[in-house]
Amino acid sequence: MALDKGRAVELEHMVRKMGAIISVFEVRSDPVGNARFSAFRDLMDVFHAMCERQLKEQKDFIDEMGEITEEETARLKAAFEKIYGKPPGAV
């Protein structure tokens, strides 16, 4: 079912705000010099991309998150391992 116009505008605004927060996180985390900490940016990027994709498909990403792609899965696993030093299943 397609989103009604009001909800689509609300979700679009939310996606823009998330993008702004991600940008600020990048600027603030880069000087820290800790690759593990900055890997959280990868996690945020994947989530943001998923939300954008859902919105383009006229789906409400708040009510139901869409499928994760193989590329996104690989990026998440790599970020997780970068942060914790172990693959997700080993924690």
Side-chain angles (χ1 to χ4, degrees):
M1 181 169 92
L3 296 171
D4 67 60
K5 187 176 179 176
R7 182 63 172 165
V9 168
E10 182 181 359
L11 292 171
E12 205 170 290
H13 181 68
M14 191 180 300
V15 167
R16 282 195 310 271
K17 284 197 303 189
M18 285 189 292
I21 291 167
I22 292 167
S23 295
V24 169
F25 181 84
E26 179 180 30
V27 168
R28 302 289 241 161
S29 66
D30 279 351
V32 171
N34 183 336
R36 286 181 166 179
F37 183 68
S38 60
F40 280 98
R41 166 72 194 264
D42 294 331
L43 299 176
M44 289 186 276
D45 284 342
V46 169
F47 182 77
H48 188 253
M50 290 173 66
C51 293
E52 284 183 321
R53 187 171 59 250
Q54 286 291 102
L55 190 55
K56 286 178 186 171
E57 294 172 2
Q58 288 290 301
K59 295 178 182 171
D60 191 327
F61 57 82
I62 299 297
D63 291 339
E64 182 180 338
M65 185 48 78
E67 295 297 317
I68 188 168
T69 67
E70 287 182 33
E71 179 186 331
E72 290 166 338
T73 299
R75 286 181 66 195
L76 290 174
K77 286 179 181 177
F80 189 94
E81 198 161 339
K82 192 175 191 181
I83 293 167
Y84 298 106
K86 300 175 185 178
V91 175

